[in-house]
Amino acid sequence: MHLLNEQTSEQYLTQMHKTSAIIKEWLNDNNMYSGGTPQQVQAATSINIQSQGRDIEAILADIQDKFLPNCVSTAHRHCLAHLHPPTLVIGQIAEMIIAATNQSMDSWNQSPAATYIEKDLVEWLCQLCQFETSDDVQIHTQTDAQVDNQTRHKSGGVFTSGGTQSNLMGLLLARNKFYTAKGIDVHKEGMLGQPRGIILCSDQAHFSIEKNAALLGLGVQCVEKVKTDASGAMLMSHLQQKIAETGADNVIAVIATAGTTDLGAIDPLTDIANICREQKIWLHIDAAWGGALLLSQRYRHLIEGIQVADSITLDFHKHFFLPISCGAFLLKNQQDFESIRHHSEYLNSFDDEKDNIPNLVTYSLQTTRRFDALKLWMALDSLGTEDYGVLIDNCLRTARQAAELIENHADFVLVHQPIISSVLFYFKPKDTALSDGQLSQLNRQIAQDLLINNIANVATTQFEQHLCLKFTILNPNTQACDINNIIKQMTITGFDRLQNYEGQHYDAP
């Protein structure tokens, strides 16, 4: 009686009610984090597996007493460290349906309805990015632009686990096309002994570019960094210089970023696209964060040029407020998927293709894959694109208000005006002479103290010569008054810590 079926459906309902009540109580406590230090969390959450199982009541009691209090609550307005948002209620409902139905997206006969929903949603996303699609799905927005009639292709895509996997897909297909143009089928022959190509991205690009280059057998050293300006955006002059030095024929791909992790910087997409089109270089746009601006009513213009990419990364467990994991990889020319095609008679047979039966494993790096597209579909259906855009825009508005508060505070330094909704700054008390090492350690301790004391979750990151504090505002409910309270607590914590330095020689580690 342990399996979910018609015999246990009542038990399922009862236990889901109990579990929901426990989660409700945790949410109602409104604690950002109650776990304390890493050592305290480790001690509180140790597990003990026995030969005999325990009653579900005892297990849920441990979840309530040991697990949940030691979790960071992304629902809290002071949870501002990472691209880690609160989730939509409709997303939680979708997760329950995904888990209960347990559809596997590799073959149609494992996910009949889900396959068509994902296909339609991919087509909708392609149209949102102004890629060419069939006429099966219609989309109407006020920001539609004319598509270049000379480069029309049937686009496609697939849902992924997130940005890293989508970026891997983009690099994989770019690599295959690059070597195919040289008469080499690396998909079959491998990389051993093949001529070296390079990948160009900004020095602020996501670390997954280098990670994926290593996975693809290209090596981390094939990734060459393009300098960025003060806003963190790619410098076009340096990109052109890099291409000229290397030769366009030796460039596998240019990776542009629409929303860097720290500053939220957006590379000049249209200018980069023009160069890539001229030089016949694959352009992949990592819009894992900035892609949410596709629904923005006020800031959509910031990602103008996204429609000229060869491939695009989108993440929905960031600024779309959906539960982890949920991402998508979009491809301007669906034919480029052919370079990774594999056939298995039990999953995607040639007979199915003849009968027009879609098996999505053909387009994915994964075999077994969750029906994560359901979360986005239900969210769009529930909110509509207009209300979705309002939630996104609220976060950008609050980020700009936070920057103003920091800029007007005598003891803080604002590193840069917000581009999307991250704010970089650091505590630098006036009339106090601290070394760079002491300032770095002081700011790191402020972030740690705020988390451990259940005040706020704020990130630290290195930007240029400074260790910075970072607000990543992905909660539409976070208001300027919340930010102001956190800044006050940072000031108190900073000056308390500062007393420890007086009369002491301090060397930062």
Side-chain angles (χ1 to χ4, degrees), residues 60-225:
L60 287 177
D62 278 352
I63 292 296
Q64 184 170 19
D65 297 337
K66 298 178 180 180
F67 175 69
L68 290 175
N70 292 290
C71 289
V72 169
S73 173
T74 60
H76 199 282
R77 299 193 305 275
H78 291 187
C79 190
L80 305 169
H82 299 284
L83 287 161
H84 191 190
T87 57
L88 297 170
V89 173
I90 194 71
Q92 295 293 329
I93 294 169
E95 279 285 0
M96 185 167 65
I97 297 168
I98 292 166
T101 58
N102 202 33
Q103 304 295 281
S104 183
M105 300 304 298
D106 39 336
S107 64
W108 178 85
N109 63 359
Q110 296 180 83
S111 53
T115 293
Y116 291 113
I117 290 171
E118 177 168 323
K119 278 175 61 65
D120 281 357
L121 193 49
V122 163
E123 190 158 10
W124 188 88
L125 289 167
C126 285
Q127 290 194 30
L128 188 66
C129 292
Q130 299 168 24
F131 279 3
E132 281 292 287
T133 64
S134 68
D135 296 324
D136 295 339
V137 178
Q138 295 298 321
I139 179 172
H140 303 283
T141 71
Q142 295 179 343
T143 58
D144 285 346
Q146 293 297 319
V147 178
D148 186 346
N149 290 327
Q150 295 179 341
T151 57
R152 288 194 168 188
H153 301 289
K154 174 69 166 64
S155 56
V158 69
F159 271 70
T160 68
S161 62
T164 296
Q165 186 182 346
S166 293
N167 286 340
L168 176 60
M169 291 282 290
L171 285 178
L172 171 62
L173 297 183
R175 182 203 69 173
N176 291 354
K177 193 160 189 174
F178 172 81
Y179 284 102
T180 297
K182 298 180 181 299
I184 303 165
D185 187 348
V186 293
H187 195 62
K188 292 181 180 177
E189 300 170 25
M191 288 297 302
L192 188 62
Q194 307 298 4
R196 181 177 180 269
I198 70 162
I199 295 163
L200 295 173
C201 64
S202 85
D203 57 23
Q204 298 298 310
H206 195 258
F207 77 96
S208 64
I209 306 304
E210 291 179 310
K211 183 176 181 178
N212 289 332
L215 287 172
L216 291 171
L218 297 165
V220 171
Q221 290 182 347
C222 89
V223 180
E224 296 194 9
K225 302 294 183 67

Side-chain angles (χ1 to χ4, degrees), residues 32-50:
M32 200 277 306
Y33 169 71
S34 305
T37 66
Q39 295 77 16
Q40 289 171 323
V41 174
Q42 184 177 19
T45 55
S46 60
I47 64 173
N48 184 21
I49 308 298
Q50 301 290 331

Side-chain angles (χ1 to χ4, degrees), residues 203-473:
D203 57 23
Q204 298 298 310
H206 195 258
F207 77 96
S208 64
I209 306 304
E210 291 179 310
K211 183 176 181 178
N212 289 332
L215 287 172
L216 291 171
L218 297 165
V220 171
Q221 290 182 347
C222 89
V223 180
E224 296 194 9
K225 302 294 183 67
V226 179
K227 294 176 184 177
T228 52
D229 61 21
S231 74
M234 188 185 290
L235 276 173
M236 295 306 300
S237 58
H238 196 226
L239 174 63
Q240 290 170 315
Q241 179 186 331
K242 282 279 192 182
I243 293 173
E245 290 172 353
T246 306
D249 290 345
N250 297 314
V251 181
I252 295 172
V254 173
I255 313 298
T257 307
T260 59
T261 305
D262 284 336
L263 279 180
I266 299 172
D267 291 335
L269 304 181
T270 300
D271 293 340
I272 295 170
N274 289 338
I275 291 174
C276 289
R277 186 161 46 184
E278 260 177 43
Q279 303 287 348
K280 296 183 172 57
I281 298 172
W282 185 289
L283 172 60
H284 176 74
I285 296 180
D286 177 2
W289 183 6
L293 300 183
L294 288 163
L295 297 183
S296 170
Q297 296 180 22
R298 295 190 62 188
Y299 303 100
R300 170 65 177 78
H301 65 279
L302 294 177
I303 53 168
E304 181 57 37
I306 195 170
Q307 68 274 11
V308 196
D310 292 288
S311 54
I312 298 172
T313 287
L314 296 175
D315 255 13
F316 308 112
H317 54 236
K318 290 186 171 68
H319 221 154
F320 284 80
F321 317 109
L322 292 179
I324 299 167
S325 59
C326 193
F329 171 74
L330 304 182
L331 190 60
K332 172 165 282 185
N333 185 357
Q334 189 169 245
Q335 286 301 307
D336 288 321
F337 275 126
E338 290 300 311
S339 72
I340 61 169
R341 178 182 290 273
H342 282 278
H343 273 283
S344 174
E345 283 303 313
Y346 63 88
L347 286 179
N348 59 339
S349 70
F350 289 108
D351 287 338
D352 279 358
E353 289 191 4
K354 290 176 186 175
D355 294 337
N356 200 29
I357 297 174
N359 296 299
L360 299 185
V361 72
T362 303
Y363 311 110
S364 179
L365 295 178
Q366 296 172 258
T367 304
T368 303
R369 184 166 59 87
R370 286 164 48 90
F371 180 32
D372 287 319
L374 182 68
K375 289 179 279 192
L376 181 61
W377 174 52
M378 290 180 68
L380 286 165
D381 206 17
S382 174
L383 274 70
T385 56
E386 188 173 321
D387 283 353
Y388 228 139
V390 169
L391 293 181
I392 294 163
D393 287 351
N394 283 349
C395 297
L396 274 71
R397 182 195 64 211
T398 302
R400 282 145 180 76
Q401 293 170 339
E404 186 177 354
L405 289 169
I406 293 163
E407 198 169 30
N408 292 332
H409 198 295
D411 297 311
F412 287 89
V413 175
L414 179 69
V415 172
H416 196 277
Q417 289 294 331
I419 300 164
I420 304 183
S421 57
S422 65
V423 188
L424 256 60
F425 61 103
Y426 55 94
F427 179 66
K428 187 179 180 181
K430 64 179 180 178
D431 303 326
T432 304
L434 294 176
S435 69
D436 289 343
Q438 288 174 324
L439 269 179
S440 293
Q441 184 66 358
L442 178 58
N443 279 274
R444 183 178 289 109
Q445 288 171 330
I446 288 171
Q448 291 172 348
D449 288 349
L450 261 59
L451 177 61
I452 289 170
N453 292 306
N454 191 22
I455 296 170
N457 191 14
V458 178
T460 59
T461 188
Q462 193 74 30
F463 187 77
E464 295 180 342
Q465 304 303 314
H466 299 285
L467 183 130
C468 300
L469 299 165
K470 180 171 68 169
F471 291 146
T472 307
I473 301 172

Side-chain angles (χ1 to χ4, degrees), residues 14-33:
T14 299
Q15 298 303 339
M16 290 299 282
H17 276 307
K18 290 180 180 178
T19 306
S20 298
I22 288 171
I23 294 170
K24 177 180 180 294
E25 187 174 331
W26 173 66
L27 290 169
N28 288 348
D29 284 342
N30 198 31
N31 284 314
M32 200 277 306
Y33 169 71

